[in-house]
Amino acid sequence: MEEKRKRNPNFSLQDSLLLTQIMGETHPDFHDMDMSFHKVDKARFSNRISKATKNALWVAVTENFNARAQFRREQSILEKKWENLQRDHRNLYMDFQREISLTGRGPIGRTLSVLTEAVIDVIGKQSAAVVGAAGAAYDSTLASLMLPQQFDLCDSEERSSVSDGPIFNVMDLVSVKPSQRVQSCSTTTSTLPRL
């Protein structure tokens, strides 16, 4: 009969904090760029950062973790744990920030855990992973509402010949009446609003 594989013990709070601390430490090969293990892991491939570099990074993280932790862990387990920590605590932080920004709700009833704060400190509060690719200052709703007034409607003559009703732009958000059409396509340019 096959022998069952022994299950690894769950990560304790200290194990999770240790992994977070290691990922926040400066990578020795990228000290000149002040890049942490996390930043090197998330960086795009370049002439300095390759697949081999990232594999070596996780070997170093695993050795460093196993030297200081109570239980030894495999590299693949640490990689998966770090991905899970980022995902879970990023969501907790974003929910907390959303709750803070609500008005009229009184005092906040909860605080962030030590682990959540540690993970967010490593990831970075202003990183794209936390605030999104466009950033918090960019609101696409405003851009989509302003776009019809500044959109180049050069093909409006073709659409107006079909019907005398209102002409709709690409976004189908605001109707543009025939009297508001652009008369000369050569003099107008298509610009997006500056935010």
Side-chain angles (χ1 to χ4, degrees):
M1 191 169 222
E2 281 185 45
E3 191 176 317
K4 287 191 176 184
R5 184 176 160 217
K6 189 175 179 182
R7 186 178 178 278
N8 287 326
N10 290 340
F11 274 79
S12 66
L13 176 62
Q14 288 76 20
D15 290 340
S16 298
L17 286 171
L18 176 60
L19 180 59
T20 303
Q21 178 187 356
I22 292 169
M23 292 306 290
E25 293 174 356
T26 303
H27 192 292
D29 295 340
F30 295 90
H31 192 270
D32 58 329
M33 298 170 66
D34 195 32
M35 291 180 73
S36 66
F37 283 97
H38 168 73
K39 287 181 182 178
V40 174
D41 184 43
K42 293 299 176 191
R44 293 182 180 192
F45 292 115
S46 66
N47 58 352
R48 266 189 95 178
I49 300 174
S50 64
K51 180 77 172 162
T53 306
K54 292 188 180 193
N55 285 337
L57 170 141
W58 279 106
V59 168
V61 168
T62 304
E63 288 174 359
N64 198 347
F65 181 87
N66 287 332
R68 297 194 259 173
Q70 184 178 2
F71 298 104
R72 293 188 59 78
R73 309 285 180 165
E74 295 177 11
Q75 177 180 333
S76 60
I77 293 172
L78 291 175
E79 287 182 53
K80 183 67 174 169
K81 181 63 177 177
W82 179 241
E83 289 299 318
N84 291 342
L85 283 172
Q86 291 177 80
R87 182 197 63 223
D88 295 343
H89 293 283
R90 178 176 46 239
N91 289 338
L92 288 172
Y93 179 76
M94 288 169 34
D95 289 345
F96 180 77
Q97 288 299 107
R98 199 173 300 115
E99 191 175 323
I100 287 175
S101 67
L102 296 175
T103 58
R105 296 204 124 205
I108 304 292
R110 65 184 178 127
T111 59
L112 293 174
S113 70
V114 173
L115 183 57
T116 302
E117 288 182 6
V119 170
I120 293 302
D121 284 343
V122 171
I123 294 173
K125 292 180 181 179
Q126 298 301 319
S127 71
V130 176
V131 297
Y138 182 78
D139 185 6
S140 61
T141 307
L142 178 63
S144 66
L145 291 175
M146 294 176 70
L147 189 61
Q149 290 82 16
Q150 297 177 350
F151 192 77
D152 188 7
L153 298 172
C154 291
D155 63 341
S156 63
E157 288 82 17
E158 295 146 12
R159 286 185 280 173
S160 65
S161 63
V162 176
S163 71
D164 289 334
I167 299 171
F168 291 90
N169 72 350
V170 176
M171 300 292 287
D172 288 333
L173 292 174
V174 177
S175 81
V176 180
K177 296 181 178 153
S179 61
Q180 296 173 326
R181 285 187 302 207
V182 177
Q183 298 301 323
S184 171
C185 291
S186 61
T187 60
T188 61
T189 59
S190 177
T191 57
L192 290 175
R194 287 188 160 179
L195 301 176

